Amino acid sequence: MKSKNKVVMLVDCQSFYASVEKAEHPEYKNRPLVVAGDPERRSGVVLAACPIAKSRGVKTEDRLGEAYAKCPELVVIRPRMQRYIDVSMLITDIYKQYTDLVETFSIDEQFLDVTGSMHLYADAPEELARLIQTHVQAATGVYIRFGIGENKTLAKTACDNYAKKNPSGIYTLTKEMLPETLWKLPVSDMYMVGRRMTRHFSVMGLPTIGSIAQTPLGNLKQMMRRKFGKNSDIQAELYWRIANGIDDSPVRPGTHQVAPKSVGHMMTLPRDYAQLEEIKVVLLGIYIKTCVHKGSNLLILWRNNIFQVV
């Protein structure tokens, strides 16, 4: 990719929570480690597993019992969310030293538009990626991977499907490369496609990403209408554009500073609750937490099996 083209990067922190803990506990450097909740409660689920733990078969979302069965010598650390947020913000500040166009995608993923920065740091995007990679690891101990493309979709796709499997942790994906790379992958590997949509595409005779990309958009819309109804045109176009690496959305700094449009709370229960009185207590607790989050001062009553505000 030449520097005259738009250069967008999706930067991903490898096993982020586990990487933060390993950086701060060097005694666990060569041991399989996971970040998980209380093993005595239902919150005992693996949130992040280091590469060593993954090599032993441990997966994110495994129950701790399952993880221990796969790897009895597993080191388990309870999550420290505020610490992970702090490290994530530190990494973001490092990215901002290379470009002011940094968009938070998640706690461990950021989009960077480095188009205007290329002439200052390197002749190739991969060189700049290696420079940032070294900077972040030296400052935080966290190893990062780069998907590089001319837009956000290509960058995200490059990271998820190739950079994470590349020894360098860096991969550039161009539209010209799609027929020989992305299009050969199963549709389950496509960005924004989950298990249910994978089954739907299989039923529609679209098993690969290339089969979606090469279906004329009008035909894909018709197929989606037959499956999901007349309001599915936008969804059909979204999948078609992703499969073809088309994305004109800009990298938007400060997205995490925008006020949320909705507020919610959740909790994991220690056991199954079947009695209505127990369920009412749990629901009331969640409701109150949500109202407090919004700064409301409300009196909430249970009437006719629903909560009412007085």
Side-chain angles (χ1 to χ4, degrees):
M1 181 184 296
K2 298 180 180 179
S3 58
K4 67 179 181 180
N5 294 335
K6 189 171 182 179
V7 181
V8 176
M9 299 175 172
L10 188 279
V11 194
D12 166 81
C13 299
Q14 182 186 54
S15 306
F16 182 51
Y17 300 167
S19 294
V20 172
E21 296 299 347
K22 279 207 163 186
E24 298 186 6
H25 295 89
E27 66 271 24
Y28 298 142
K29 178 180 179 181
N30 297 315
R31 297 183 62 184
L33 179 148
V34 298
V35 174
D38 186 347
E40 300 300 322
R41 298 171 65 87
R42 238 177 240 213
S43 56
V45 175
V46 173
L47 301 178
C50 76
I52 298 175
K54 288 179 179 178
S55 71
R56 310 284 175 83
V58 178
K59 299 178 182 178
T60 302
E61 298 184 1
D62 276 354
R63 296 291 299 273
L64 273 180
E66 298 171 330
Y68 276 126
K70 297 173 182 177
C71 184
E73 67 273 29
L74 198 63
V75 175
V76 180
I77 296 182
R78 293 191 183 185
R80 299 183 296 151
M81 292 308 302
Q82 187 56 56
R83 181 56 184 158
Y84 307 146
I85 292 171
D86 292 341
V87 174
S88 177
M89 293 178 70
L90 173 59
I91 292 173
T92 299
D93 288 340
I94 292 174
Y95 297 155
K96 289 179 179 178
Q97 296 179 35
Y98 297 91
T99 175
D100 58 349
L101 297 177
V102 178
E103 176 182 336
T104 298
F105 188 64
S106 68
I107 192 172
D108 62 347
E109 291 180 294
Q110 313 266 15
F111 282 110
L112 281 61
D113 186 335
V114 297
T115 308
S117 307
M118 288 304 307
H119 68 288
L120 298 174
Y121 298 104
D123 294 327
E126 295 82 5
E127 292 181 22
L128 178 55
R130 282 190 287 271
L131 179 63
I132 301 174
Q133 191 180 58
T134 301
H135 189 166
V136 170
Q137 190 155 27
T140 68
V142 175
Y143 178 67
I144 57 177
R145 290 83 62 94
F146 287 80
I148 304 172
E150 64 186 70
N151 59 51
K152 290 159 71 174
T153 291
L154 285 173
K156 174 66 173 170
T157 298
C159 187
D160 288 351
N161 291 289
Y162 301 105
K164 293 180 180 181
K165 303 173 185 176
N166 195 335
S168 71
I170 301 169
Y171 192 89
T172 298
L173 183 65
T174 66
K175 290 182 180 179
E176 292 74 21
M177 296 167 61
L178 295 182
E180 296 302 316
T181 55
L182 187 70
W183 287 4
K184 294 183 177 182
L185 298 181
V187 71
S188 58
D189 288 344
M190 192 168 93
Y191 174 48
M192 296 289 287
V193 174
R195 295 177 185 175
R196 182 175 298 179
M197 200 62 217
T198 295
R199 291 195 295 270
H200 290 316
F201 278 132
S202 178
V203 171
M204 288 187 280
L206 301 171
T208 66
I209 298 176
S211 62
I212 295 175
Q214 294 174 295
T215 299
L217 179 56
N219 293 356
L220 184 60
K221 287 182 177 180
Q222 290 179 1
M223 296 167 71
M224 295 281 284
R225 285 179 204 144
R226 287 195 293 268
K227 188 74 177 176
F228 302 106
K230 62 181 181 180
N231 296 322
S232 61
D233 282 6
I234 294 177
Q235 188 180 20
E237 184 166 354
L238 171 66
Y239 289 127
W240 184 85
R241 287 170 65 88
I242 291 173
N244 282 287
I246 300 171
D247 184 359
D248 53 9
S249 62
V251 173
R252 296 185 177 91
T255 52
H256 64 290
Q257 298 172 348
V258 177
K261 295 181 179 179
S262 63
V263 176
H265 280 275
M266 61 182 292
M267 68 172 65
T268 304
L269 302 177
R271 58 181 174 82
D272 291 334
Y273 283 21
Q275 299 299 316
L276 180 59
E277 290 304 315
E278 291 182 320
I279 295 171
K280 286 161 60 175
V281 172
V282 173
L283 293 177
L284 181 59
I286 294 175
Y287 199 111
I288 291 173
K289 284 184 178 180
T290 304
C291 292
V292 169
H293 188 114
K294 297 177 69 175
S296 304
N297 185 14
L298 304 175
L299 174 62
I300 307 164
L301 300 177
W302 178 270
R303 290 175 179 166
N304 299 323
N305 292 331
I306 62 172
F307 287 119
Q308 297 181 338
V309 179
V310 178

